[in-house]
Amino acid sequence: MKQLEVTIMGQSYILGCPDGGERALLEAVGNVDQEMCAIRDAGKVRARERIAVLAALNLAYQLAERPLAAATPARSAGQAAPDPAHGIDIEALIGRIDETLGRDGQLL
């Protein structure tokens, strides 16, 4: 796994990235940065933590609103569906985020 340095809302972060996943990670970072900056620039919310939570909710909502592919393969109960547009297992991603946040209790 390699590490990439990225910038979100003017703050630098070092993120782990699986080999070959650089493009997808940079696209995700761009989406998060764009959403967070839009919320900040609207001027109603100032705290970074609140901005991050609102951005996460906005992005999750956008993702949930995407129509599911008609040819989604059957899956067993409890198995998360990958995002058809990106091949991402959303439940696994949420689990990784929860695990990482649980280590230090800090969002940002």
Side-chain angles (χ1 to χ4, degrees):
M1 181 172 288
K2 67 189 304 184
Q3 292 187 333
L4 292 178
E5 184 173 359
V6 300
T7 302
I8 299 174
M9 214 171 79
Q11 187 165 344
S12 183
Y13 298 89
I14 304 288
L15 304 176
C17 178
D19 292 334
E22 296 88 353
R23 185 185 63 79
L25 178 61
L26 291 175
E27 182 179 334
V29 166
N31 291 337
V32 169
D33 182 56
Q34 180 179 357
E35 193 67 31
M36 287 183 68
C37 288
I39 292 168
R40 178 201 60 206
D41 294 346
K44 296 180 181 177
V45 181
R46 285 306 212 203
R48 290 181 71 83
E49 182 176 311
R50 287 181 181 244
I51 291 171
V53 169
L54 290 172
L57 288 170
N58 288 343
L59 293 168
Y61 181 79
Q62 291 171 14
L63 186 61
E65 287 296 300
R66 289 184 183 171
L68 292 176
T72 301
R75 42 184 218 275
S76 63
Q79 182 181 4
D83 174 14
H86 296 97
I88 298 171
D89 182 343
I90 299 301
E91 291 298 322
L93 182 58
I94 290 170
R96 287 179 57 203
I97 292 169
D98 287 343
E99 178 184 322
T100 301
L101 289 176
R103 287 188 203 136
D104 64 9
Q106 296 282 331
L107 184 59
L108 295 174

